[in-house]
Amino acid sequence: HLQVLPSEQVLGLVGKAAPDELGDADELHRLVAATGASHVVQPRAARRADVWDVVVEVRDGANVRTYEGRAPAPLQAMDLALGGYLSSIGAGALAAPAQPPTLTELQQRIDAAFLDGDVARARRLVADAPAEYRENPQLRVRAGEIEVRAGELDAAAQRFARVLDDGERVPAALRARAEYGFCTIAMRRNDFAGVVARCSAAAATLGAERDPVLSARLHMLRAVAEGALGRGDDALADAARARMDWELAGDRRGMASLDVDEGLILRGLGRYAEAIAAFERAAAVFERLGVEDSLAVSLSAKADTQIVVLDLAGALEASERAWRLAARLANPVAVRRLAFCRARVLVLAGRFADAAALLDRFADAAGALPEFAVLRAQLALERGDAAGALAQADAIFDRVEHPPDPSSEASVADAAAVFVEAALRSGRRADADHFLARLSAAPPVEQDAERGFFAELARGGIAALAAETDAADRHFGAALTLAGRSGRPDEIVAAASAYARYLLAHGRVDAATGVVGRLAPYADRDYRAARAAADLYAALGDEARRRDAEAAAAQLAGERAGARAASREPPMASATR
């Protein structure tokens, strides 16, 4: 039994080297270091008249062995050369190909284009294939996978359904792969319960078939969905099973993909440092292998997590690296997600002009996702334009509740937080009540689990605006308690800074001192925390500490300085996630 690296990993490695570099000692050392392979097989092919000559060099450390094959077709010549190599190590001869050589060659060309990220070419090869080849179940499954990668989910579902409709005439492993295709579609549509059901069906169909790569993928995807559904123990168990399967497959790229997915699970469990470490491990592998789309995903996930822990400097660096890769990605859904991550980091870091340029590109595009509109409203709010933030607020909220694309990651809680705060800054109690009511009435969804925190923060701000002291204390206190339970630094700062400003505005310096103490760990990296500390020290008459806090706030403000002067401080602080 020979363990062979998966095609994805091989193509990712050799695709970054020029043909004349592959025999270079340094390049071979890089390949071995990246893969852990004990043998490197390097083929060369040349056509002379009607005959193909194939030479295969097998390198084992300093040893080089050569095997040759000659035949009318390139794959036949390759089989002869590889057969000689396998016989020399006692592995037996190659089995006869199950498909006619022309179909096999077509499949390999499609696979090569797909694995190299050339989705357009892969789709053309499928479309131009003879009709009898297009009916081949294996080609149908690959065509469905291509459509998923291109973002054409309905077309992909039709491809996979036709394979499953053929029932047991299709091998179990291929049917399981089609079922897994439906898993990926459900994940793109944020249908986490559907992912769990489809992946479970795929596992049942696969049964005892030895396909560690497919088994790893379906357990990995199910783990992510279980994490999103709050089933942390199930998620970690599936991730562990996937890790063993990737180990059996010898697939380092698969292991890196698992690190990304496990990072998402860990983030959902509040284990942020472990999550960031997992994303960093994955990014290092993807960068070494040259897998740019997966590298961008891992960097974006890292940036999203750094936002939660208020490491905006780290999030700026990670999101910038991810965004630089976007121009080379074929999947428009992936590009939009990278753009949203980058724009959100820019807004939070106070780089408003850069954020506006990116939002102008995506928020007004045809079929734009509603999260871009919410973020643009937040940008207006940060710039001191509360009225601008409320423009078309109800229409935007409608689109958040009923997104035009199921891949949207828009959050009802995020939308309500922005619009309630905009109403409070404008002194419009009725509008604030209206958007709080919309938040409360919205059906619950798995990816909006922090809705209770946002609702309490909004109630605190509304009570503060109405000078309802007891209610303001109760709701701000409840929001701070919920934030402490979740352990999310971004929520702790949002609740504590809003409550501290309210207390200071009413001269309650002693109470504010305890609340600002909750902000102390974040005063050197979050503008809101530094601003609250400066206001407290001013109220205490501690001029030296006030100056230090003001300096920290100025350093963290970015382009907020003018906006703050143009707008009164709100009773509620924006709580972006």
Side-chain angles (χ1 to χ4, degrees):
H1 175 72
L2 292 177
Q3 190 178 67
V4 181
L5 290 177
S7 300
E8 293 95 332
Q9 188 169 345
V10 174
L11 284 171
L13 283 163
V14 302
K16 301 302 169 185
D20 59 352
E21 292 178 342
L22 293 176
D24 179 81
D26 290 340
E27 182 62 23
L28 288 170
H29 178 74
R30 182 183 74 85
L31 291 172
V32 171
T35 64
S38 58
H39 292 70
V40 177
V41 180
Q42 183 179 348
R44 296 195 306 272
R47 185 173 183 177
R48 296 179 177 84
D50 293 330
V51 176
W52 283 86
D53 287 325
V54 169
V55 177
V56 172
E57 289 184 352
V58 181
R59 298 174 184 269
D60 174 9
N63 301 316
V64 181
R65 288 173 287 172
T66 302
Y67 304 89
E68 298 182 3
R70 176 174 291 185
L75 289 180
Q76 292 172 340
M78 182 65 72
D79 286 349
L80 291 172
L82 288 175
Y85 162 56
L86 293 174
S87 296
S88 74
I89 61 174
L94 286 175
Q99 300 288 350
T102 50
L103 175 57
T104 301
E105 286 183 287
L106 174 63
Q107 288 175 324
Q108 290 184 336
R109 289 172 188 157
I110 293 170
D111 288 350
F114 177 75
L115 298 175
D116 198 37
D118 192 346
V119 177
R121 181 167 175 265
R123 294 178 85 185
R124 284 197 305 273
L125 287 168
V126 171
D128 294 342
E132 63 270 24
Y133 291 168
R134 291 199 301 272
E135 295 304 308
N136 178 276
Q138 189 167 345
L139 200 60
R140 281 189 205 159
V141 171
R142 177 55 96 191
E145 292 166 345
I146 292 166
E147 297 293 4
V148 170
R149 197 161 181 179
E152 299 292 339
L153 302 186
D154 290 338
Q158 292 176 7
R159 304 269 195 185
F160 296 136
R162 292 195 64 191
V163 174
L164 296 177
D165 287 345
D166 286 342
E168 294 188 0
R169 287 177 291 174
V170 177
L174 202 54
R175 282 184 280 123
R177 195 168 140 196
E179 286 277 11
Y180 174 74
F182 278 110
C183 297
T184 63
I185 291 172
M187 181 59 76
R188 290 287 182 88
R189 290 173 168 162
N190 294 322
D191 176 11
F192 301 118
V195 172
V196 172
R198 283 292 191 175
C199 286
S200 298
T205 300
L206 189 61
E209 292 278 342
R210 293 299 306 148
D211 190 338
V213 171
L214 180 57
S215 178
R217 285 175 173 162
L218 66 90
H219 282 97
M220 189 167 69
L221 200 62
R222 188 168 68 181
V224 175
E226 288 164 339
L229 293 169
R231 293 160 50 180
D233 290 341
D234 291 340
L236 291 176
D238 263 325
R241 169 61 190 273
R243 191 171 295 281
M244 291 303 301
D245 285 329
W246 285 128
E247 288 278 9
L248 290 171
D251 190 338
R252 295 192 178 191
R253 175 174 172 172
M255 292 285 284
S257 296
L258 177 60
D259 276 331
V260 173
D261 291 338
E262 200 161 27
L264 296 173
I265 295 167
L266 291 167
R267 185 172 72 192
L269 294 172
R271 293 158 62 175
Y272 304 117
E274 293 174 77
I276 290 171
F279 297 137
E280 288 173 343
R281 288 196 304 272
V285 174
F286 289 137
E287 187 166 33
R288 187 164 66 246
L289 298 181
V291 187
E292 293 180 336
D293 54 352
S294 297
L295 173 59
V297 168
S298 58
L299 290 170
S300 179
K302 178 185 174 184
D304 283 336
T305 310
Q306 288 169 315
I307 288 173
V308 174
V309 299
L310 303 174
D311 179 11
L312 290 185
L316 281 168
E317 190 272 338
S319 64
E320 182 180 13
R321 286 179 62 198
W323 182 239
R324 283 201 302 263
L325 297 167
R328 299 197 287 275
L329 303 186
N331 187 336
V333 175
V335 171
R336 287 197 299 265
R337 286 180 173 173
L338 293 178
F340 181 71
C341 173
R342 179 62 176 165
R344 188 159 70 112
V345 174
L346 291 170
V347 170
L348 294 175
R351 290 175 51 179
F352 298 154
D354 291 338
L358 200 52
L359 288 171
D360 286 345
R361 177 176 168 186
F362 285 91
D364 296 327
L369 296 179
E371 50 260 49
F372 286 99
V374 174
L375 188 58
R376 178 181 271 174
Q378 183 184 340
L379 174 60
L381 191 60
E382 293 280 1
R383 283 175 154 172
D385 182 10
L390 284 172
Q392 301 182 337
D394 267 307
I396 294 171
F397 209 110
D398 288 342
R399 291 177 60 220
V400 170
E401 288 190 296
H402 308 287
D405 187 317
S407 68
S408 170
E409 296 181 316
S411 159
V412 168
D414 285 340
V418 171
F419 297 138
V420 167
E421 183 173 351
L424 294 174
R425 289 197 189 192
S426 304
R428 292 158 61 173
R429 162 90 187 254
D431 286 339
D433 285 334
H434 169 69
F435 287 109
L436 174 59
R438 292 203 66 169
L439 173 65
S440 301
V445 293
E446 293 88 356
Q447 61 267 44
D448 219 358
E450 306 300 320
R451 195 177 291 182
F453 164 77
F454 285 91
E456 288 296 346
L457 192 56
R459 293 185 184 107
I462 291 169
L465 182 67
E468 298 170 354
T469 302
D470 290 343
D473 283 336
R474 184 170 64 254
H475 293 302
F476 277 136
L480 193 51
T481 298
L482 289 173
R485 287 176 185 167
S486 73
R488 291 183 55 134
D490 59 341
E491 292 185 356
I492 291 170
V493 168
S497 59
Y499 194 14
R501 273 200 301 273
Y502 164 71
L503 292 170
L504 289 170
H506 289 78
R508 297 167 60 187
V509 178
D510 285 346
T513 301
V515 174
V516 174
R518 299 286 296 272
L519 297 169
Y522 315 108
D524 62 344
R525 50 188 163 131
D526 184 272
Y527 171 76
R528 296 163 298 175
R531 181 72 262 151
D535 291 343
L536 174 65
Y537 292 133
L540 290 171
D542 190 331
E543 187 60 21
R545 286 190 172 86
R546 184 198 66 78
R547 283 197 302 268
D548 289 344
E550 288 282 4
Q555 179 137 16
L556 296 164
E559 297 166 38
R560 288 185 181 90
R564 183 168 182 265
S567 169
R568 73 176 182 84
E569 287 291 345
M572 170 184 170
S574 179
T576 55
R577 291 182 293 166

